[in-house]
Amino acid sequence: MNKKSLSERDICTKFITPAIEKSGWNRLTHFLEEVSFTDGKIYVRGKLTARGERKRADYILYYKPNIPIAIIEAKDNNHSVRAGIQQALEYAKILDIPCVFSSNGDGFVFHDRTAENENIETEIGLDTFPTPEELWEKYKKYKGIVTPEAERISSHDYFFDGSDRKPRYYQQIAINRTVEAIANKQNRILLVMATGTGKTYTAFQIIHRLWKSGTKKRILFLADRNSLIDQTRKGDFKYFKDKMTVVKHRQVDKSYEIYLALYQGLSGSDEEANIYKQFTPEFFDLIVVDECHRGSAKDDSAWREILTYFKKATHIGLTATPKETKETSNIEYFGEPLYMYSLKQGINDGFLAPYKVVRVTLSVDAEGWRPEKGKKDKEGIEVEDRIYNRKDFDRNLVIDERTQIVAKKVTEFLKGYDRFAKTIIFCQDINHAERMRYAIAKENGDLVAANYKYTMQITGDNDEGKRELDNFINPEEKYPVVVTTSELMTTGVDAQTCKVIVLDANINSMTKFKQIIGRGTRINEDYGKLFFTVLDFRNATDLFADKEFDGDPIRIKEGNEDTDLGNIDNEEEETPIIDEETGEEIKIIEPPTIRTPDGGNSELPAKREKIFVNGVDVSILVSRELYFDQNGKPITTSLKEHTRGIIKGKFKSLDNFIKKWSQAEKKEAIIAELQDHGILIHALFDAVDSQLDLFDLICHLAYDQPPLTRRERANNVKKRNHFTKYGETARKVLESLLDKYAEEGISNIESMEVLRLQPLSDFGSPLEIINEFGSKVKYLEAVKELEFELYKSA
């Protein structure tokens, strides 16, 4: 047998797989072949989307399901045995795997990430591939698992529900690291995972493995909003069945094993409300704190007292946005994150939806507004003469026309996109949300007349709106479509099909900004949700440029070296009044007092919370789309300069680029590679000339070459009469492909699917067309020749 003539797949089937099986690896339980562990980044081209390539490992070896211990990268025999090792190492780092192999069918190169000497890489024969037990020992060393008890806990089975559902690779890492850390007696754990990446499912698998192994017998899942508890109970945690209860109505039943509870359902402003004390401090041995950046982040909060009371339990904090300020620190309490999976990673892997940003600047926001002399508000009171700006609007001063023009712009966008695209408008406060709902209703009278629930206010004080929250997040429910809110929907709302997020609130908190953006990051392909758009009226998206937006959390709060994090004594504090339904703090505004001459107190008239005015000229100064680089940061230079920099960094010269373009088996592969490096192809065409070929566009921008349009290139080929050697039908097919190229670009003619489209389909079925060329191979050769002719003059 000539190995050199075999494909990579043949090498796997005939040599690598038999070598693995011979060493005791069971095909059904121990390894998977051609494992795609990402979904492929989503690229947005106008209203269209396309997925990039998935990351794929040739083999992943498991000690038990979801406990991966080795990875193998295969190459055909025209490559050396070492050829796949760098790619395998890259994947092993992503997947947290210690044992890395490369093979071309002659043997293996073994890279041992647990080794510390010259034996880190060795060559081994096909007959000496390590056994599962040998690689499990390597895994235990890599993870620091040293005792039999730690090994028992760490290797305990995952939960399977009989379906095909299994953890994604990053969930698998978070679950395994957490279980292994607890097996090694770590009692404070922080997991940071972007919104929409399945924190609750991750928590369920952690709890289930620890519970089933007997490591943790009574577990408390803490949250601060009813919506979070309900989603958890009805969703991933439903498999706990009668072993689980939700603490309600301040009643405690100690006969369960899994407890779901609101902070505010366990505690209160008086001692009688602190029902958590009905449990002994040792009752729970595991507490999972969802959205731990909220109530329990501050070490002097009333809610932290619950964690302090159950201080002997293991505490796991879950959040997309760890809070790190001078006063508050998740890291101080839980420690450095055990695992982080960011928004950028989620988007690059194709598990989270990418975003487009449209920045809208209003005249009064950019220039400020100063009332003319004697200007009166809607109550007939003269408005204080000063310059009001974006920070004032809807907080201190309300301009009716400003609200109206925002509603008009949102409606205009939806009319050009999809009037039934689920939309959340984040407002300054409840009053603003109420007024915005009214303005949206006026702009969309036809749809509101058909169903008044087209637009609704969903805020903590609005019972009708809160009842519609489940319908808004349910993909199968059409209404409501456009909702206005202030704080209620910033977190804990799983809005899978939210396609538009409108920012008309001053957002100064990075934590809040991340949570709001997270409302749009979920993907639902069944309902066409693959990306979302942010309409920004307040320049809040400046926060995208902040290094904190998608960077590692850095502890800011200064710690006290004498503080024992497991034994925190809280000073007495004024407990906030919390709405038990929404988890929102209820603010009580009292009128100010002054000291009278006789030493008594006298109430001043309460200052008006807001001034309402109308008759103000408000217009849109500019509306433009922001572009983001491959790291998710806004592009501050021009799009052309940004592209020039990437091209010149990747290709040394024009000749180098032309050579790469010419030698590519498919131009689509080059296009995908350029996109992965941050070139915004669709935006470039819009900015320069949509009639150009991408090849010409790049040569023009990066190397100052005079460009040709696609039509010009196609006509040049036709003039050369290159296709006279083909039969009449074949020649007409190639001429139609040229026309298709002139209209749509190179990618479409490379796909066999083009044969099913007009005008190609007029020549017969794809099989009939291919037969005109003699065979599929000859048809593809003809297409390759056509491409060569297109770029012949380059």
Side-chain angles (χ1 to χ4, degrees), residues 525-540:
E525 297 198 45
D526 293 340
Y527 290 86
K529 164 64 187 304
L530 287 164
F531 70 96
F532 66 106
T533 302
V534 180
L535 289 179
D536 179 16
F537 290 88
R538 302 268 180 159
N539 285 5

Side-chain angles (χ1 to χ4, degrees), residues 240-257:
F240 287 125
K241 298 179 181 176
D242 59 352
K243 302 296 182 183
M244 175 179 66
T245 188
V246 176
V247 179
K248 293 180 179 178
H249 311 303
R250 300 196 179 279
Q251 294 179 357
V252 168
D253 184 340
K254 299 178 185 177
S255 63
Y256 292 90
E257 296 174 53

Side-chain angles (χ1 to χ4, degrees), residues 345-357:
Q345 287 173 287
I347 291 174
N348 285 339
D349 286 343
F351 296 128
L352 293 181
Y355 46 84
K356 297 169 65 175
V357 175

Side-chain angles (χ1 to χ4, degrees), residues 580-697:
E580 292 194 11
E581 285 294 316
T582 68
E584 294 182 301
E585 183 176 343
I586 300 172
K587 298 186 183 298
I588 305 299
I589 301 174
E590 296 178 354
T593 59
I594 58 172
R595 183 73 60 187
T596 59
D598 62 1
N601 291 335
S602 174
E603 286 191 357
L604 282 174
K607 186 178 179 180
R608 288 185 299 164
E609 190 178 343
K610 284 187 176 71
I611 299 167
F612 294 82
V613 298
N614 56 15
V616 178
D617 182 23
V618 182
S619 61
I620 293 175
L621 289 184
V622 64
S623 177
R624 66 185 181 92
E625 184 174 344
L626 297 185
Y627 298 110
F628 296 81
D629 63 21
Q630 67 270 36
N631 295 313
K633 297 300 179 186
I635 296 170
T636 52
T637 60
S638 74
L639 202 56
K640 297 177 184 179
E641 286 301 314
H642 173 73
T643 303
R644 181 191 293 264
I646 293 174
I647 294 295
K648 292 213 163 181
K650 182 166 176 55
F651 302 103
K652 296 176 184 176
S653 65
L654 173 61
D655 288 343
N656 185 251
F657 171 69
I658 292 174
K659 183 179 179 182
K660 178 85 180 215
W661 183 272
S662 302
Q663 291 178 348
E665 189 67 29
K666 279 194 172 185
K667 303 300 182 279
E668 181 63 31
I670 293 280
I671 293 169
E673 188 179 339
L674 294 173
Q675 285 179 317
D676 282 339
H677 280 81
I679 293 179
L680 305 171
I681 291 170
H682 181 80
L684 271 179
F685 280 128
D686 289 344
V688 183
D689 186 345
S690 62
Q691 300 305 309
L692 295 181
D693 186 286
L694 180 61
F695 173 86
D696 288 279
L697 188 62

